[in-house]
Amino acid sequence: MIYHPTADKVTDLTIAYIGGGSRGWAWTFMTDLSMEASLGGTIRLYDINEDAARRNEIIGNHLTARPDTLGDWNYTTCSSLEDALTGADFVVISILPGTFDEMESDVHVPERLGIYQSVGDTAGPGGIIRALRTIPMFVEIAEAIKNFCPHAWVINYTNPMTLCVKTLYHVFPQIKAFGCCHEVFGTQKVLKGICEQTFGLEQLHRRDIEVNVLGINHFTWFDQASYKGIDLFPVYRKFIEEHFEDGYHDPDRNWMNSTFNCAHRVKFDLFNRFGLIAAAGDRHLAEFMPGREYLSDPDTVKSWKFGLTTVAWRKEDLKRRLARSERLAKQEEEIKLAPTGEEGILLMKALCGLGRIVSNVNIPNTSLQIPNLPAAAVVETNAVFGRDSIKPVAAGALPEKVLSLMTPHTDNHERVLKAALTFDRSLIYEAFSHDPLVEGRAKDSDIRQLADDMITNTLPYLPKEWR
């Protein structure tokens, strides 16, 4: 890495992108890199689908050659983890553990017991089984980082976020890894919109909303939120009093027109019940709560104005993205250079010494950012990013009622990690039984059978000891 102090620029960076054949996130990453003039170097793309990575190599290098591109990057495909990682300054992990066929089992097989999941990649039976096939992949990645680039900063975007980061640190405790998630940004945008409506303001940025973040990934909360010294909790409370039934509607994102959108009514309800601002999308938040509350059946989901993301939709979307990949590689379509709203590149700049930034990240609770969660837990709080350092913010303790909602999940993280490393099926039965979506919804024998069937459906991606 070469730093040019007079130009405030870092060149000759090496970034290893694990999952570099992505037909979505990779293009987001490329877009942000292309718009950043202060960074440059080499992007090594590694993917088990090497053809997909090579296509992104073509797309990335064409993007670099465009006259409107500011970032100077060379994209190259690697055939092995070792080639991708050796000497890397940054490692970006964005993989799909398995295929959408396995995800179809994760999400939809539990429906036979009346257990509905709106995402199925973090909590619930789907999140548990997805973790079971993801953890061995992250064991391999962590060992490779330890061997080939032990001083690199590692940025994870893969779900289940908490267990991915937890695995990296379990295998390589000295790793410099953190997990990035944009769910908090969405809630800042809601608060921004409410501010604009309440005070007649225009063109606020979500970063204008200062928040204290505490919780675990996809089950994060704000216990403080302000705009230029104005406490936003009374503003939020009044908005909810006036709009609880209708919800909050982003003018560009009607919940009925997209599988990923919501009217934020689950957030509003959680605020009324617990006094904190729940800071993730409603689809994620609902999965951390008892199954009879927001996800008891499709009609209940609809009444809360969010949706169940079907895997059939994801499969159709993949077809569209494959077609777009073909067009981009043939230069029949161009990537639009516009800010994506992600912060990964800003965090990299700060770690390179080009400024400081505060952002929410997923890291171990070893500094006890949240003192009433275990030190072994991976938590999501704010942290200060500077040159080669991340300083986590002491977020404070969770209120007891919110802590009681979180504890089943942090306990399950321990069970699932141990189960994945020791091939202990009984721990998976325990994790299923203690998950709030499942608990009390079926007989123990039916829950064990569900776990067995879901494990069988994902066996091709599990170590041989599970067979």
Side-chain angles (χ1 to χ4, degrees), residues 400-416:
E400 285 300 318
K401 288 183 179 180
V402 176
L403 178 65
S404 68
L405 297 174
M406 207 158 293
T407 299
H409 299 286
T410 56
D411 288 348
N412 259 359
H413 294 156
E414 297 296 326
R415 289 187 184 99
V416 174

Side-chain angles (χ1 to χ4, degrees), residues 236-271:
Y236 192 65
R237 182 178 293 108
K238 186 174 188 298
F239 187 90
I240 291 173
E241 289 171 357
E242 296 173 353
H243 300 280
F244 181 78
E245 292 301 326
D246 188 45
Y248 171 81
H249 297 275
D250 185 321
D252 300 318
R253 303 184 67 194
N254 189 294
W255 75 273
M256 291 183 291
N257 297 336
S258 171
T259 243
F260 294 103
N261 297 338
C262 65
H264 306 284
R265 293 191 70 236
V266 172
K267 282 185 194 57
F268 290 180
D269 191 53
L270 291 173
F271 181 82

Side-chain angles (χ1 to χ4, degrees), residues 5 31 54 64 75 102 163 183 187 209 280 289 306 407 421:
T31 300
R54 291 196 182 281
T64 295
Y75 292 81
E102 283 71 38
L163 275 162
E183 289 290 315
T187 306
I209 309 300
M289 299 296 292
F306 69 99
T407 299
L421 297 174

